[in-house]
Amino acid sequence: MGKKISIKNLPTGYQSLITNGRHAIVGDEPTASAGTDLGFSPEDLILSSIAMCKVATVRYIARKNKWEIGEVDGEFELNVKRGEAGKLSTHVTAKIKIEGDLNAEQKRELLKQADACYVHRMIEGEWSIENAVELTEEAEKVLV
């Protein structure tokens, strides 16, 4: 079964309560887009997925190889440009700092594996996004 997310729009700004049934976060739009900026924007959520996956992959590979590491921190940036016919082009930069007693080859391997994380590969892969349809009460009960 695939992943499911439920979202409930709140009356203030563009705030939304986003849940997977176990955890919840607040999404919103920045004030420049008439939101209240009290939660992550849609772009923040996409970039957060990439960042979290890359950092978690570094930790996973280090543990798998029994390499002692400390903090794994990163800075990620997403830039979107509008091209011909309104087509969007997205560029993400990823900088990851890995603390620990690692040699240069081990660090290179961890960064290489970070770039092969599941979310990175998923985004670069083939997507099929269906057009939105109305959520009926019957379908809503299935989501709960």
Side-chain angles (χ1 to χ4, degrees):
M1 178 188 261
K3 301 283 182 181
K4 287 190 178 184
I5 293 290
S6 296
I7 187 165
K8 179 157 184 67
N9 189 255
L10 303 176
T12 306
Y14 291 103
Q15 293 176 23
S16 296
L17 183 60
I18 305 163
T19 180
N20 66 359
R22 297 178 316 281
H23 311 286
I25 58 173
V26 174
D28 198 357
E29 289 285 351
T31 53
S33 298
T36 59
D37 201 27
L38 294 177
F40 276 51
S41 73
E43 294 88 351
D44 292 338
L45 292 168
I46 288 172
L47 189 58
S48 296
S49 296
I50 296 167
M52 194 256 158
C53 189
K54 286 182 179 289
V55 168
T57 297
V58 166
R59 288 203 156 295
Y60 171 79
I61 297 298
R63 288 176 184 155
K64 181 179 168 187
N65 289 312
K66 296 180 176 37
W67 296 341
E68 292 294 322
I69 63 170
E71 295 291 321
V72 180
D73 300 319
E75 289 184 6
F76 296 79
E77 187 173 330
L78 180 140
N79 289 289
V80 180
K81 293 182 180 174
R82 188 174 304 275
E84 291 182 29
K87 185 173 180 177
L88 300 178
S89 172
T90 305
H91 180 80
V92 173
T93 58
K95 297 176 184 175
I96 301 173
K97 177 182 174 188
I98 308 165
E99 293 180 352
D101 188 21
L102 301 169
N103 61 41
E105 184 178 322
Q106 289 170 317
K107 283 188 177 183
R108 272 193 304 275
E109 179 62 19
L110 290 172
L111 293 172
K112 176 183 165 191
Q113 293 297 323
D115 290 338
C117 81
Y118 181 76
V119 172
H120 185 132
R121 290 181 295 123
M122 182 175 54
I123 289 171
E124 287 185 330
E126 186 175 325
W127 283 66
S128 172
I129 302 174
E130 296 180 9
N131 291 334
V133 297
E134 184 177 1
L135 178 61
T136 61
E137 284 187 35
E138 183 176 296
E140 194 173 357
K141 289 177 186 175
V142 175
L143 291 174
V144 177

